[in-house]
DNA sequence: TGGTGTGAACAACTTCACAGCG
DNA sequence: CGCTGTGAAGTTGTTCACACCA
């Protein structure tokens, strides 16, 4: 095991989250013990990668045997901070916002939605789930602060994403998950993660157009003429 | 400019998509020409990174001047294959599915939703947008094939994600965007992209619990005891 | 002059291969 | 013996710094 402040690859953190998922499935299928090989098979990561990822945080397995399925899931949750509950608010109760509010996964995995906000008067006051009520946008800062929300989720249209982020920061959140397609800026001490659905699709489009060979984009010598401005 | 089959970083492709976005915003703000510096500022990528990314595909700028805003956006779209229209189907019209179907961005960016599917009889036949009608799941393979859909979007619950993927493949799609939290397996010739919303949140949780220093996970010497199995 | 395009240095991440241990 | 844990090697991606050219 390493101690010290070794930098942990961002990619490792991303994978840890998927390991939890796979471990829970394997556990449900009756595996009390899993090898890095089996786990790797199940979540499409190489066994070596899994062992390396885990090694950043400690020794969780037994040599010659494998990992205790339940135990490993538990340990990873601890690593990610999912043993604590993260009070979370959501801004913008359109379809996407609604989808996220109803997402039971959150509740099971350490996040508690404590409030939702929207600027449509028709939605205000409605109860989305037992403990989430839609408040007017004007109360965002106040309620976010009151509830000590640590995380804010932005599901508003692109045009108001930045303003929403500013208010969330004012309300004291420490992290923001932004689903609006344009990136927003936040102060140093706030962590932001942008989820760009369009980017993912564009990625697919690129891979497809490359594979199913439409024209070759990089032709031999013809330099794509620099534009006359 | 490089020709040849040089491997292009996956990360580059991800960024290209965001460049389009920023270019469109800058264009709307009146910049007819942008430097890599300005564009980088706008989408939070280093200027060098932008130039390198573009250099994989050709020469799009004018030295001493910059890039033509509109032209560059156009060129990148071509690179990503967004100059073609991608017929797309969506399976699972819950809140998330609904959100995606209404997402006007798609239409503007090269994707055409040609059909949606759900297994809830109450939803069948409803018209979501002008050209999307909800069909029963049983018709998935048939309609997907008829419409020659190239892309399938999975927004069903985790439990039926794999089955849905199988049918999409049977229907002939070449790429799948999966929003279910568990990864699905597809044949070699089909491209899959998993969007894990929970992973993104977990990422935030990790960064927050590290920064706002709850207990240090990697203590000095104490080895986290390997589990007795 | 000023900003692009790019090889070369650097940094991050992954894979390999094997030592170590139950 | 088998599977973990891990340095070291290899690969992939990013930054630097400067030649080049409108």
């Amino acid at each position: 095991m390493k101690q010290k402040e070794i930098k942990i690859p961002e990619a490792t953190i991303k994978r840890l989250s998927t390991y939890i998922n796979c471990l829970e499935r394997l556990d449900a299928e009756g595996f009390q013990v899993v090898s890095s090989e089996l786990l790797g098979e199940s979540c499409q990561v190489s066994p070596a990668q899994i062992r390396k990822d885990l090694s950043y945080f400690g020794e969780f397995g037994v040599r010659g045997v494998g990992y205790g399925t339940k135990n490993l899931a538990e340990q990873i949750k601890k690593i990610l901070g999912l043993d604590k509950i993260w009070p979370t608010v959501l801004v913008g109760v359109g379809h996407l916002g609604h989808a996220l509010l109803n997402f039971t996964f959150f509740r099971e995995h350490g996040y508690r939605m404590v409030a939702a906000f929207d600027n449509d008067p028709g939605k205000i006051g409605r109860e989305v789930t037992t403990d989430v009520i839609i408040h007017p946008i004007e109360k965002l800062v106040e309620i976010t602060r009151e509830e000590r929300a640590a995380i804010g989720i932005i599901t508003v249209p692109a045009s108001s994403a930045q303003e929403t982020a500013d208010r969330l920061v004012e309300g004291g959140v420490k992290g923001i998950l932004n689903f609006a397609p344009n990136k927003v800026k936040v102060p140093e001490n706030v962590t932001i993660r942008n989820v760009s659905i369009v980017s993912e699709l564009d990625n697919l489009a690129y891979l497809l157009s490359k594979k199913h060979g439409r024209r070759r984009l990089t032709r031999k010598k013809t330099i794509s003429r620099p534009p006359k401005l």
Side-chain angles (χ1 to χ4, degrees), chain A residues 99-112:
Chain A
L100 296 176
L101 288 172
N102 280 321
F103 205 13
T104 57
F105 238 82
F106 288 162
R107 203 161 287 88
E108 294 160 14
H109 285 245
Y111 305 95
R112 174 152 61 219

Side-chain angles (χ1 to χ4, degrees), chain A residues 130-142:
Chain A
T130 44
D131 38 45
V132 184
I133 289 173
I134 305 179
H135 300 278
I137 276 283
E138 289 73 29
K139 293 222 168 176
L140 199 167
V141 177
E142 181 191 333

Side-chain angles (χ1 to χ4, degrees), chain A residues 200-213:
Chain A
E200 299 291 340
L201 257 186
D202 288 353
N203 229 277
L204 259 190
Y206 171 73
L207 292 170
L208 297 189
S209 63
K210 215 178 54 165
K211 249 201 315 192
H212 304 286

